[in-house]
Amino acid sequence: NDEIVVVSFRCTTSALDWMTNLATTSSEWEIDKDVAQGHSGYFSCCEGRCFSKGPKKPRVHTGFYNNILKMIPVFEELVDPLLAPDQPKRKLYVVGHSLGAGISTMATCYFLQHYDWEKLPHKFINVSAGTPRSCKPSMAEIMEKKLDELRPLDKAIVCRVVMNEDVVTKVPPLSIGYTHIGKLVLLTEDGYVLVGPKRSDSHIIDEDEMQELCKNNPALLVQKAASEEGAADNKDGDDLTKSKLQTEYDKMMEKIPRPLRDHCPDFYLAPLIKLYERDNDAELSEQ
């Protein structure tokens, strides 16, 4: 519409999608050439490595890159006209979960380089959930530099949302050279939403560390108080209610190891919905 444009990528749903996930070799970012041929090349993992001449090009996850190459003609047809300089001021949202999150990262690399955001009236926003690593440091450095230029102008936001111990956010492994881009937004097991916590992907925030974080972030104390108040209101008869309301789906989810369970969209949505409702309630109270 006249205010927003949304480009959304879905998660893994087929065997072909799994082939994309597992294509963890890297390819050079050569958009013009690769869009024309429709793929990254038959031996793209070797290009730029063996017998290469000239400066090296940034590299990205081959599977995700091949997917975005097929989408660029669609972007040119449907998105480009909406983000022309003479169009109403719009926000371009690029979003995705799991496989879709990885592809949304590729789309972010494309859109941030394709448009001159400093001159356009529009704003770019990428929010991905359960995001696998998809950039080599060569591409990540370019993207972070671009974001450093655009953030002070309020022209770009890139954040990856991670639920607790979600295993997908830790693959492909650091040992083969992949990394993330953008700011981390961590959803903890206790329902906290932490923006930009200083932590590695393998670090889990325990209760003691959470208390320390609360000392330096009053907003977390508000969220904690609201959470505890709701828990107190529902304490009576909680066990009976839980036994009655627990569905087969709930029982099945409890059997799944936490690192895999934390990747499910439901577990991402629950704390975000609570935060949204709490903020809305606060606004209504102020009015």
Side-chain angles (χ1 to χ4, degrees), residues 86-102:
D86 60 348
Q87 286 292 302
K89 184 178 179 180
R90 291 188 171 101
K91 293 178 181 178
L92 171 60
Y93 287 89
V94 177
V95 300
H97 170 261
S98 193
L99 165 65

Side-chain angles (χ1 to χ4, degrees), residues 8-174:
S8 178
F9 298 96
R10 70 181 184 184
C11 58
T12 302
T13 59
S14 67
L16 198 60
D17 289 344
W18 275 109
M19 292 175 66
T20 296
N21 291 330
L22 297 173
T24 56
T25 59
S26 67
S27 300
E28 288 187 311
W29 184 271
E30 300 177 295
I31 288 293
D32 293 337
K33 183 188 83 170
D34 292 338
V35 167
Q37 66 185 11
H39 55 83
S40 60
Y42 295 110
F43 299 101
S44 62
C45 61
C46 298
E47 290 182 8
R49 298 180 186 275
C50 305
F51 312 109
S52 61
K53 296 181 180 180
K56 292 186 179 296
K57 299 174 182 177
R59 304 187 72 88
V60 293
H61 186 288
T62 298
F64 302 150
Y65 179 57
N66 278 325
N67 267 262
I68 208 64
L69 290 174
K70 294 179 174 62
M71 288 302 303
I72 287 176
V74 179
F75 297 156
E76 292 174 342
E77 177 186 358
L78 301 179
V79 179
D80 278 7
L82 298 173
L83 297 182
D86 60 348
Q87 286 292 302
K89 184 178 179 180
R90 291 188 171 101
K91 293 178 181 178
L92 171 60
Y93 287 89
V94 177
V95 300
H97 170 261
S98 193
L99 165 65
I103 299 174
S104 82
T105 301
M106 294 296 95
T108 295
C109 294
Y110 169 74
F111 283 123
L112 286 181
Q113 296 180 90
H114 181 65
Y115 297 111
D116 189 348
W117 294 96
E118 294 183 18
K119 295 181 180 178
L120 288 172
H122 316 298
K123 181 176 180 177
F124 178 82
I125 300 172
N126 168 231
V127 180
S128 59
T131 316
R133 299 184 183 107
S134 56
C135 292
K136 291 286 188 172
S138 53
M139 176 57 86
E141 289 172 9
I142 293 173
M143 289 299 99
E144 294 298 345
K145 181 179 179 181
K146 190 73 175 175
L147 289 170
D148 286 343
E149 296 170 356
L150 295 176
R151 282 193 191 106
L153 304 175
D154 194 28
K155 287 289 188 175
I157 296 173
V158 175
C159 62
R160 57 185 184 91
V161 185
V162 175
M163 176 61 196
N164 202 34
E165 299 180 38
D166 185 349
V167 68
V168 173
T169 65
K170 303 170 186 176
V171 296
L174 289 170

